[in-house]
């Protein structure tokens, strides 16, 4: 019987979970923290904040279970926010939602065209090879940006990690990465499931900088003595490679290829609609990454929970529960008010500059109208993503809701009504940290397979069916919203 310490390094907090013998004992979160943001899409964070938050959350969780659990923990698994570039695994991190590397996206396309011998010509060539098109959010573009704008710093690099890898490096003393996080760099051969020699050559990344790839269910290293003393854990316990939060979250909701038609919608800082596939189906509107089993394909809306938090704070509303209460008083369509949740652009719509709007307001517009418009906007943008999946013949039978939004029955019902599909909220809504924990339980032998672990640990708590009258009433507002979103984004879906 193993005891797993799982962690999620998020954009605004870190959560840990303790699982013993395949049974969840507890979870705990650190205090909130926030990235440093500036105009123009700048978003950075000090990795020390993550480490301090990790230690704090571990202490809280241990004291909830009993201090003796420290000596029983024999495996640590960390999942975290994707794409972020952490130079040397310790320096100021360029986060997933930093969109300042627009110039490098254009340069990468030019390089691909000029070096046709590499077989990556144009967006299509890059897409088929890496599963993605150039985007300022992806790690490769951030590395190119550093090389262009901070050449001395780039030359002095010893390695790089992603956020989960920064914590893992602290634990074992080596930069390692699993395929799910590696595939989010755009330096990954999605078909060959390995670092891409062509992309590394194209981008100009020395091989010595690349983290060592360790499969998602394999042990990457052992906990170092000094760090073990700091955490109060036994030195030498197993540590798995850090994983990508969206892969972990999908796993934590049972979204694996064998569960066809099960889609996840994570309503966290960003909003992510995810499906698991046996094989990649590259599409410029979708992101495709490695999963513990097969692939995941998803669409990301950059501001989901972030948009709610922004409006909550701007209007001086005390809590998300109060936002729900206000929004519930307003009819479908928010009395003509529309919110475009482009506060950080939209990866899904190929828009990399902030361009949010509140439209349709009048002298009679209320706080309640705005609250509902924001909630409708973040869900309708996700609905546009679901439409793309249906176009790709990806079956949609059920949406499983995760992230902070899953804690609100009001939001869950609104998701069902707008998307027109049954929404299931799992018992455990901290799905990313649960996904990391599931990896740990399989790696340590508590379960014989990922499928068995998901069956045991992923349980439904509530179900919300679309109300026909409400869903029909959303048809016109949804069409209007989709048209406006396409008009205000900087680039087309193509």
């Amino acid at each position: 019987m193993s005891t797993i310490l799982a962690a999620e390094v998020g954009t605004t907090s870190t959560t840990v979970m303790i699982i013993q013998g395949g049974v969840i004992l507890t979870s705990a979160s650190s205090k909130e923290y926030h990235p440093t943001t500036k105009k123009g899409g700048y978003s950075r964070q000090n990795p020390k904040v993550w480490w301090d938050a990790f230690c704090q959350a571990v202490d809280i969780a241990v004291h909830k279970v009993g201090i003796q659990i420290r000596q029983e923990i024999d495996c640590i698994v960390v999942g975290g926010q994707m794409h972020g570039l952490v130079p040397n695994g310790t320096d100021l991190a360029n986060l997933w939602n930093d969109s300042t590397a627009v110039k490098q996206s254009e340069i990468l396309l030019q390089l691909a065209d000029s070096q046709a011998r590499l077989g990556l010509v144009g967006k299509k060539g890059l897409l088929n090879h890496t599963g993605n098109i150039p985007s300022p959010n992806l790690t490769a573009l951030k590395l190119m940006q550093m090389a262009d704008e901070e050449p001395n710093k780039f030359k002095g690099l010893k390695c790089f990690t992603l956020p989960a890898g920064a914590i893992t490096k602290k634990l074992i003393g080596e930069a390692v990465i699993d395929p799910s996080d590696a595939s989010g760099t755009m330096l990954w051969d999605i078909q060959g499931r390995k670092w891409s020699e062509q992309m590394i050559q194209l981008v100009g990344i020395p091989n010595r900088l690349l983290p060592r790839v360790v499969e998602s269910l394999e042990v990457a290293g052992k906990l170092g003595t000094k760090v073990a003393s700091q955490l109060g854990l036994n030195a030498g316990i197993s540590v798995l490679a850090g994983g990508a939060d969206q892969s972990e979250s999908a796993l934590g909701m049972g979204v694996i290829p064998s569960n066809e038609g099960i889609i996840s919608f994570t309503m966290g800082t960003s909003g992510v609609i995810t499906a698991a596939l046996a094989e990649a189906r590259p599409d410029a509107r979708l992101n495709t990454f490695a999963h513990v089993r097969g692939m995941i394909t998803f669409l990301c809306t950059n501001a989901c929970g972030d948009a709610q938090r922004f409006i909550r704070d701007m209007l001086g509303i005390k809590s998300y529960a109060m936002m729900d209460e206000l929004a519930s008083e307003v009819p479908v369509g928010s009395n003509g008010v529309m919110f475009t949740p482009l506060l950080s652009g939209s990866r899904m719509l190929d828009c990399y500059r902030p361009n949010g709007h509140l439209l349709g307001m009048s002298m009679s517009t209320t706080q309640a109208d705005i609250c509902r418009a924001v909630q409708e906007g973040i869900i309708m943008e996700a609905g546009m993503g679901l439409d793309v999946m249906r176009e790709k013949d990806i079956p949609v039978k059920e949406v499983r809701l995760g992230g902070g939004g899953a804690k609100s029955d009001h939001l869950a019902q609104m998701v069902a009504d707008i998307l027109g599909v049954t929404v299931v909220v799992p018992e455990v809504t901290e799905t990313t940290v649960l996904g990391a924990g599931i990896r740990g339980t399989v790696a340590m032998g508590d379960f014989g397979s990922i499928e068995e672990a998901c069956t045991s640990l992923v349980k439904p708590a509530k179900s919300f069916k679309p109300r026909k009258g409400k869903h029909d009433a959303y048809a016109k507002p949804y069409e209007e919203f989709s048209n406006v979103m396409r008009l205000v984004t900087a680039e087309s879906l193509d």
Side-chain angles (χ1 to χ4, degrees):
M1 180 178 71
S2 299
T3 302
I4 313 297
L5 174 64
E8 173 201 358
V9 181
T11 313
T12 58
S13 68
T14 291
T15 301
V16 303
M17 178 178 286
I18 299 174
I19 304 174
Q20 188 172 67
V23 177
I24 298 169
L25 300 185
T26 192
S27 63
S29 296
S30 70
K31 291 181 180 178
E32 279 194 4
Y33 50 78
H34 297 286
T36 300
T37 57
K38 298 178 184 178
K39 287 184 177 179
Y42 178 101
S43 183
R44 308 293 163 99
Q45 206 159 47
N46 186 341
K48 185 178 183 301
V49 171
W50 305 331
W51 177 253
D52 290 345
F54 173 73
C55 293
Q56 180 189 53
V58 169
D59 282 344
I60 295 170
V62 163
H63 283 92
K64 286 171 73 174
V65 176
I67 198 165
Q68 78 287 343
I69 199 71
R70 287 188 191 273
Q71 302 309 308
E72 298 174 21
I73 291 169
D74 49 15
C75 178
I76 302 176
V77 195
V78 183
Q81 44 181 303
M82 297 180 71
H83 313 313
L85 170 64
V86 190
N88 299 315
T90 56
D91 301 347
L92 187 68
N94 182 332
L95 297 190
W96 65 272
N97 58 352
D98 185 291
S99 57
T100 57
V102 175
K103 175 184 173 183
Q104 284 68 32
S105 297
E106 298 167 356
I107 291 172
L108 183 55
L109 283 170
Q110 293 168 5
L111 286 171
D113 290 344
S114 67
Q115 299 188 41
R117 60 187 175 78
L118 296 177
L120 305 177
V121 175
K123 284 186 177 181
K124 187 174 181 179
L126 291 167
L127 175 68
N128 288 336
H129 184 68
T130 70
N132 300 280
I133 60 172
S135 158
N137 305 101
L138 302 177
T139 321
L141 286 301
K142 299 177 190 299
L143 283 163
M144 290 176 65
Q145 182 183 37
M146 178 187 286
D148 291 343
E149 299 176 5
E150 301 175 279
N152 291 333
K153 185 176 180 181
F154 182 77
K155 288 177 183 177
L157 272 184
K158 295 179 181 178
C159 68
F160 73 87
T161 71
L162 276 61
I167 298 297
T168 305
K169 182 175 182 289
K170 181 88 171 175
L171 296 172
I172 67 172
E174 181 189 2
V176 295
I177 196 168
D178 93 324
S180 70
D181 235 4
S183 61
T185 64
M186 208 178 173
L187 298 171
W188 188 253
D189 178 346
I190 199 71
Q191 305 292 350
R193 203 174 172 88
K194 62 181 180 178
W195 288 123
S196 164
E197 295 178 9
Q198 297 99 310
M199 285 300 299
I200 290 164
Q201 185 175 339
L202 195 65
V203 173
I205 305 298
N207 279 286
R208 62 179 175 78
L209 299 183
L210 299 170
R212 178 170 64 92
V213 178
V214 181
E215 281 294 334
S216 304
L217 300 178
E218 294 179 2
V219 173
K222 302 296 183 178
L223 183 64
T225 303
K226 186 177 178 180
V227 177
S229 178
Q230 183 179 353
L231 293 169
L233 304 178
N234 294 320
I237 65 175
S238 299
V239 180
L240 272 59
D245 60 353
Q246 294 310 320
S247 176
E248 308 281 41
S249 181
L251 185 58
M253 285 189 267
V255 178
I256 51 179
S258 57
N259 288 340
E260 189 179 58
I262 304 298
I263 308 295
S264 65
F265 178 19
T266 303
M267 297 184 75
T269 302
S270 62
V272 184
I273 294 276
T274 306
L277 305 172
E279 298 178 346
R281 300 184 196 179
D283 185 292
R285 297 165 296 180
L286 298 164
N287 293 112
T288 301
F289 303 115
H291 196 23
V292 179
R293 286 280 185 273
M295 308 283 179
I296 57 168
T297 188
F298 70 70
L299 299 106
C300 179
T301 68
N302 287 6
C304 182
D306 246 6
Q308 281 215 99
R309 179 182 58 81
F310 174 77
I311 295 297
R312 179 200 68 186
D313 294 347
M314 187 174 69
L315 297 181
I317 298 171
K318 293 181 179 179
S319 66
Y320 293 119
M322 188 172 289
M323 286 187 75
D324 287 354
E325 187 177 339
L326 288 167
S328 67
E329 300 170 358
V330 179
V332 167
S334 305
N335 288 322
V337 179
M338 180 188 295
F339 174 71
T340 65
L342 301 171
L343 303 180
S344 301
S346 173
R347 282 165 62 181
M348 181 179 73
L349 295 174
D350 210 14
C351 171
Y352 301 109
R353 61 182 178 87
N355 196 19
H357 299 77
L358 268 171
L359 306 172
M361 292 192 293
S362 69
M363 294 296 288
S364 62
T365 295
T366 65
Q367 276 193 341
D369 294 335
I370 295 173
C371 286
R372 187 172 187 96
V374 169
Q375 293 177 345
E376 289 182 342
I378 61 179
I379 296 168
M380 286 182 180
E381 187 182 8
M384 294 175 70
L386 209 62
D387 290 344
V388 172
M389 288 192 173
R390 287 175 170 132
E391 288 175 25
K392 295 289 293 182
D393 295 323
I394 296 172
V396 180
K397 300 174 184 175
E398 173 184 301
V399 169
R400 293 185 178 174
L401 198 61
K407 298 175 183 177
S408 165
D409 288 358
H410 162 78
L411 280 178
Q413 185 60 63
M414 189 181 287
V415 171
D417 290 341
I418 292 175
L419 303 186
V421 64
T422 297
V423 169
V424 171
V425 176
E427 283 183 357
V428 179
T429 57
E430 295 114 332
T431 54
T432 300
V433 69
L434 175 58
I438 286 173
R439 282 203 292 135
T441 62
V442 178
M444 299 303 288
D446 290 319
F447 294 105
S449 67
I450 285 292
E451 291 77 12
E452 183 186 341
C454 286
T455 299
S456 180
L457 290 170
V458 182
K459 302 290 187 183
K462 297 178 182 179
S463 179
F464 300 83
K465 295 189 179 297
R467 297 170 292 185
K468 189 175 188 308
K470 294 282 187 181
H471 180 62
D472 292 346
Y474 270 117
K476 184 177 179 182
Y478 179 73
E479 181 181 3
E480 292 173 347
F481 173 86
S482 300
N483 290 336
V484 169
M485 285 285 281
R486 293 189 178 98
L487 283 173
V488 300
T489 48
E491 299 175 43
S492 74
L493 283 170
D494 302 323

PDB file of all heavy atoms in Angstrom, residues 340-352:
ATOM      1  N   THR A 340     -17.351  39.890 -24.044  1.00  0.00           N
ATOM      2  CA  THR A 340     -16.377  39.090 -24.789  1.00  0.00           C
ATOM      3  C   THR A 340     -15.170  38.869 -23.878  1.00  0.00           C
ATOM      4  O   THR A 340     -14.474  39.814 -23.539  1.00  0.00           O
ATOM      5  CB  THR A 340     -15.945  39.774 -26.098  1.00  0.00           C
ATOM      6  OG1 THR A 340     -15.243  40.979 -25.800  1.00  0.00           O
ATOM      7  CG2 THR A 340     -17.160  40.093 -26.961  1.00  0.00           C
ATOM      8  N   PRO A 341     -14.909  37.629 -23.466  1.00  0.00           N
ATOM      9  CA  PRO A 341     -13.894  37.357 -22.432  1.00  0.00           C
ATOM     10  C   PRO A 341     -12.469  37.310 -22.980  1.00  0.00           C
ATOM     11  O   PRO A 341     -11.726  36.346 -22.764  1.00  0.00           O
ATOM     12  CB  PRO A 341     -14.335  36.003 -21.876  1.00  0.00           C
ATOM     13  CG  PRO A 341     -15.015  35.346 -23.021  1.00  0.00           C
ATOM     14  CD  PRO A 341     -15.669  36.430 -23.834  1.00  0.00           C
ATOM     15  N   LEU A 342     -12.076  38.369 -23.688  1.00  0.00           N
ATOM     16  CA  LEU A 342     -10.764  38.404 -24.346  1.00  0.00           C
ATOM     17  C   LEU A 342      -9.774  39.251 -23.543  1.00  0.00           C
ATOM     18  O   LEU A 342      -8.940  39.942 -24.113  1.00  0.00           O
ATOM     19  CB  LEU A 342     -10.913  38.944 -25.767  1.00  0.00           C
ATOM     20  CG  LEU A 342     -11.851  38.140 -26.670  1.00  0.00           C
ATOM     21  CD1 LEU A 342     -12.098  38.881 -27.981  1.00  0.00           C
ATOM     22  CD2 LEU A 342     -11.276  36.761 -26.949  1.00  0.00           C
ATOM     23  N   LEU A 343      -9.869  39.175 -22.221  1.00  0.00           N
ATOM     24  CA  LEU A 343      -9.015  40.005 -21.370  1.00  0.00           C
ATOM     25  C   LEU A 343      -7.546  39.626 -21.510  1.00  0.00           C
ATOM     26  O   LEU A 343      -6.664  40.441 -21.229  1.00  0.00           O
ATOM     27  CB  LEU A 343      -9.452  39.869 -19.904  1.00  0.00           C
ATOM     28  CG  LEU A 343     -10.909  40.228 -19.606  1.00  0.00           C
ATOM     29  CD1 LEU A 343     -11.206  40.040 -18.130  1.00  0.00           C
ATOM     30  CD2 LEU A 343     -11.220  41.652 -20.031  1.00  0.00           C
ATOM     31  N   SER A 344      -7.287  38.402 -21.934  1.00  0.00           N
ATOM     32  CA  SER A 344      -5.912  37.947 -22.209  1.00  0.00           C
ATOM     33  C   SER A 344      -5.823  37.364 -23.616  1.00  0.00           C
ATOM     34  O   SER A 344      -4.999  36.500 -23.901  1.00  0.00           O
ATOM     35  CB  SER A 344      -5.481  36.888 -21.182  1.00  0.00           C
ATOM     36  OG  SER A 344      -5.542  37.378 -19.871  1.00  0.00           O
ATOM     37  N   GLY A 345      -6.699  37.834 -24.508  1.00  0.00           N
ATOM     38  CA  GLY A 345      -6.769  37.262 -25.843  1.00  0.00           C
ATOM     39  C   GLY A 345      -7.474  35.912 -25.808  1.00  0.00           C
ATOM     40  O   GLY A 345      -8.171  35.566 -24.849  1.00  0.00           O
ATOM     41  N   SER A 346      -7.276  35.114 -26.870  1.00  0.00           N
ATOM     42  CA  SER A 346      -7.889  33.790 -26.947  1.00  0.00           C
ATOM     43  C   SER A 346      -7.049  32.911 -27.854  1.00  0.00           C
ATOM     44  O   SER A 346      -6.907  33.186 -29.047  1.00  0.00           O
ATOM     45  CB  SER A 346      -9.312  33.871 -27.496  1.00  0.00           C
ATOM     46  OG  SER A 346      -9.835  32.577 -27.723  1.00  0.00           O
ATOM     47  N   ARG A 347      -6.455  31.861 -27.272  1.00  0.00           N
ATOM     48  CA  ARG A 347      -5.707  30.921 -28.093  1.00  0.00           C
ATOM     49  C   ARG A 347      -6.615  30.269 -29.114  1.00  0.00           C
ATOM     50  O   ARG A 347      -6.247  30.062 -30.265  1.00  0.00           O
ATOM     51  CB  ARG A 347      -5.068  29.850 -27.202  1.00  0.00           C
ATOM     52  CG  ARG A 347      -3.827  30.323 -26.500  1.00  0.00           C
ATOM     53  CD  ARG A 347      -3.415  29.406 -25.377  1.00  0.00           C
ATOM     54  NE  ARG A 347      -3.081  28.060 -25.815  1.00  0.00           N
ATOM     55  CZ  ARG A 347      -2.708  27.096 -24.992  1.00  0.00           C
ATOM     56  NH1 ARG A 347      -2.608  27.334 -23.700  1.00  0.00           N
ATOM     57  NH2 ARG A 347      -2.416  25.899 -25.443  1.00  0.00           N
ATOM     58  N   MET A 348      -7.835  29.948 -28.698  1.00  0.00           N
ATOM     59  CA  MET A 348      -8.764  29.245 -29.575  1.00  0.00           C
ATOM     60  C   MET A 348      -9.059  30.054 -30.831  1.00  0.00           C
ATOM     61  O   MET A 348      -9.178  29.518 -31.932  1.00  0.00           O
ATOM     62  CB  MET A 348     -10.063  28.950 -28.826  1.00  0.00           C
ATOM     63  CG  MET A 348     -11.095  28.200 -29.647  1.00  0.00           C
ATOM     64  SD  MET A 348     -12.582  27.869 -28.711  1.00  0.00           S
ATOM     65  CE  MET A 348     -13.314  29.501 -28.625  1.00  0.00           C
ATOM     66  N   LEU A 349      -9.168  31.380 -30.673  1.00  0.00           N
ATOM     67  CA  LEU A 349      -9.510  32.247 -31.798  1.00  0.00           C
ATOM     68  C   LEU A 349      -8.283  32.932 -32.392  1.00  0.00           C
ATOM     69  O   LEU A 349      -8.394  33.895 -33.141  1.00  0.00           O
ATOM     70  CB  LEU A 349     -10.545  33.286 -31.349  1.00  0.00           C
ATOM     71  CG  LEU A 349     -11.903  32.704 -30.945  1.00  0.00           C
ATOM     72  CD1 LEU A 349     -12.807  33.771 -30.373  1.00  0.00           C
ATOM     73  CD2 LEU A 349     -12.574  32.043 -32.145  1.00  0.00           C
ATOM     74  N   ASP A 350      -7.089  32.430 -32.041  1.00  0.00           N
ATOM     75  CA  ASP A 350      -5.846  32.933 -32.610  1.00  0.00           C
ATOM     76  C   ASP A 350      -5.687  34.433 -32.374  1.00  0.00           C
ATOM     77  O   ASP A 350      -5.212  35.179 -33.229  1.00  0.00           O
ATOM     78  CB  ASP A 350      -5.798  32.635 -34.115  1.00  0.00           C
ATOM     79  CG  ASP A 350      -4.373  32.446 -34.619  1.00  0.00           C
ATOM     80  OD1 ASP A 350      -3.474  32.274 -33.781  1.00  0.00           O
ATOM     81  OD2 ASP A 350      -4.166  32.498 -35.846  1.00  0.00           O
ATOM     82  N   CYS A 351      -6.095  34.875 -31.198  1.00  0.00           N
ATOM     83  CA  CYS A 351      -6.047  36.294 -30.830  1.00  0.00           C
ATOM     84  C   CYS A 351      -5.096  36.435 -29.649  1.00  0.00           C
ATOM     85  O   CYS A 351      -5.339  35.864 -28.582  1.00  0.00           O
ATOM     86  CB  CYS A 351      -7.449  36.781 -30.460  1.00  0.00           C
ATOM     87  SG  CYS A 351      -7.495  38.439 -29.752  1.00  0.00           S
ATOM     88  N   TYR A 352      -4.048  37.216 -29.827  1.00  0.00           N
ATOM     89  CA  TYR A 352      -3.015  37.287 -28.792  1.00  0.00           C
ATOM     90  C   TYR A 352      -2.857  38.680 -28.188  1.00  0.00           C
ATOM     91  O   TYR A 352      -1.842  38.985 -27.574  1.00  0.00           O
ATOM     92  CB  TYR A 352      -1.683  36.790 -29.359  1.00  0.00           C
ATOM     93  CG  TYR A 352      -1.810  35.371 -29.845  1.00  0.00           C
ATOM     94  CD1 TYR A 352      -1.799  35.067 -31.205  1.00  0.00           C
ATOM     95  CD2 TYR A 352      -2.020  34.336 -28.942  1.00  0.00           C
ATOM     96  CE1 TYR A 352      -1.965  33.762 -31.640  1.00  0.00           C
ATOM     97  CE2 TYR A 352      -2.195  33.032 -29.364  1.00  0.00           C
ATOM     98  CZ  TYR A 352      -2.169  32.753 -30.711  1.00  0.00           C
ATOM     99  OH  TYR A 352      -2.352  31.457 -31.139  1.00  0.00           O
TER     100      TYR A 352
END
